[in-house]
Amino acid sequence: MDAIQALNTRRSTKAYTPQQVPDELLDQILKAGLNAPTGRNNQKVITVAVRNTDDRNRLSKMNGALLGIDSDPFYGAPCVVAVLSDPERNTWVEDGSLVLGNLLHAAHALGLGSCWVHRAREVFDSKEGKALLEKWGLPSHLRGIGFCLLGYPAKAPIEKKLEDNRIINID
Ligand SMILES: Cc1cc2nc3c(=O)[nH]c(=O)nc-3n(C[C@H](O)[C@H](O)[C@H](O)COP(=O)(O)O)c2cc1C
């Protein structure tokens, strides 16, 4: 799949099979993520690919609690990539968001489903989130940008029609 096709056909997957993402695909996706541009090339975005069931479920519980739900906000995805950024950089949100976008598109180009799930900021600002950062050997000042779900789709993503009047050409 070429880049334009991947950009135009990616859709959020909101149901996953339990089949784990293999190393060879995950490595390519994470590399594509970190090749996103960063302000002044600061490269301070960190991706943590969580396939360990205990940590994945801990993140799911924290995220669900913020939403006020008991169900899995990660839709059964077996791999959850936490995108973290260094808030000391003035472009930390933009940098992290571009990395997350790259992850979504790379996953799609390689035939996987993906979805951005929110509330990473609140998760990693919390005491429990900081305990996970410590467990992973990461500094506690990192802040969450988002979670990128990865896995094999259990059902087709919802079709989407683009809203009109959002492309303006000034010639
Ligand atoms: C910043 C951001 C936050 C999002 N948060 C969630 C979320 O918490 N849960 C979820 O199911 N989808 C989330 N999404 C996915 C959107 O629902 C999805 O991108 C949107 O419906 C458009 O569909 P598409 O991705 O298939 O084009 C998020 C997307 C973005 C960009």
Side-chain angles (χ1 to χ4, degrees), residues 6-7 13 36 51 81 95 98 114 119-120 125 132 136-137 162-163 165 168:
L7 289 163
T13 295
R51 289 184 290 183
V81 182
D95 295 344
L98 282 172
S114 65
R119 296 167 295 283
D125 281 354
L132 267 181
W136 298 336
L162 292 185
E163 300 281 332
N165 303 325
I168 297 164

Side-chain angles (χ1 to χ4, degrees), residues 10-12 14 73 75 115-119 157-158 160:
R10 178 218 54 82
R11 291 292 170 262
S12 295
K14 301 205 178 187
Y75 307 108
C115 184
W116 179 321
V117 167
H118 209 39
R119 296 167 295 283
I158 299 164
K160 157 164 126 175

Side-chain angles (χ1 to χ4, degrees), residues 77-153:
C79 178
V80 175
V81 182
V83 178
L84 303 162
S85 197
D86 180 348
E88 284 164 19
R89 306 288 162 156
N90 65 337
T91 54
W92 68 281
V93 175
E94 293 85 349
D95 295 344
S97 301
L98 282 172
V99 167
L100 215 154
N102 272 19
L103 296 176
L104 298 173
H105 289 102
H108 175 56
L110 293 170
L112 292 178
S114 65
C115 184
W116 179 321
V117 167
H118 209 39
R119 296 167 295 283
R121 190 86 32 90
E122 297 89 324
V123 164
F124 291 105
D125 281 354
S126 73
K127 209 173 149 193
E128 204 182 344
K130 289 197 184 300
L132 267 181
L133 291 180
E134 192 181 350
K135 181 183 170 205
W136 298 336
L138 292 171
S140 62
H141 73 280
L142 291 177
R143 299 196 73 195
I145 296 295
F147 295 101
C148 177
L149 311 184
L150 297 173
Y152 292 89

